[in-house]
Amino acid sequence: MTEVMGYATKTAAVLAMREQGKRISDIAKILGISENAASGLESCAKRARNRSAKKVSATGSTVADLIPLSARQRLRPHAARREISTDRLIANLVIAIADGNLVDAVLDDGVK
C-alpha cells in the first residue's frame, strides 16, 4: 500500500482533510481524484464507522455518540486553524480543562 500525503490511504487523507474543514472539491484537487471519488471514500468510511459505533454502543456510548454533530461542526474551524482534526481538538480541550482544574469554570453549573 502506498502512502498518500503521509496518510496510510486516500480514505484516511480525505477524512483528515475533512476534519480540517476542507471542502470535498478542494480535497479532490489535492489528491488528484474526482469529487465523486473523494465523496465516495468519505461516505464509505462513515458507513463503516457507523457500523463499528453501533457495535460499541451496545456496551456503552462512544465519544462520537455523546458530542452532537452541530458542536463538532462548530469546532471544525478552530481545529483547522491549528491544523489538527476535530477529534484531536476535543481531546486537547478535555486535557487542558482537566490539567487546569477548570471543569467548574467551564461548566458553570453551580456544582462544587
Side-chain angles (χ1 to χ4, degrees):
M1 189 176 300
T2 306
E3 268 194 14
V4 179
M5 298 180 58
Y7 299 99
T9 63
K10 283 184 183 175
T11 301
V14 168
L15 294 176
M17 286 189 261
R18 287 295 277 171
E19 283 292 321
Q20 294 169 4
K22 288 185 174 42
R23 297 180 315 191
I24 271 295
S25 59
D26 295 333
I27 295 168
K29 286 177 189 172
I30 292 167
L31 296 178
I33 61 177
S34 71
E35 288 184 37
N36 284 342
S39 181
L41 291 171
E42 181 183 31
S43 295
C44 185
K46 284 183 178 179
R47 282 192 303 274
R49 188 176 6 187
N50 287 341
R51 284 191 301 269
S52 176
K54 285 178 185 174
K55 290 177 187 173
V56 172
S57 18
T59 59
S61 296
T62 65
V63 173
D65 293 332
L66 298 172
I67 300 173
L69 179 59
S70 60
R72 296 174 68 80
Q73 288 171 333
R74 289 192 306 273
L75 291 172
R76 273 188 183 169
H78 299 282
R81 283 199 308 271
R82 291 163 175 82
E83 297 182 350
I84 59 175
S85 71
T86 303
D87 288 336
R88 179 77 262 162
L89 177 65
I90 291 167
N92 288 353
L93 287 167
V94 171
I95 291 165
I97 290 167
D99 288 349
N101 196 24
L102 299 170
V103 174
D104 292 329
V106 171
L107 290 180
D108 192 26
D109 57 3
V111 175
K112 297 291 176 188

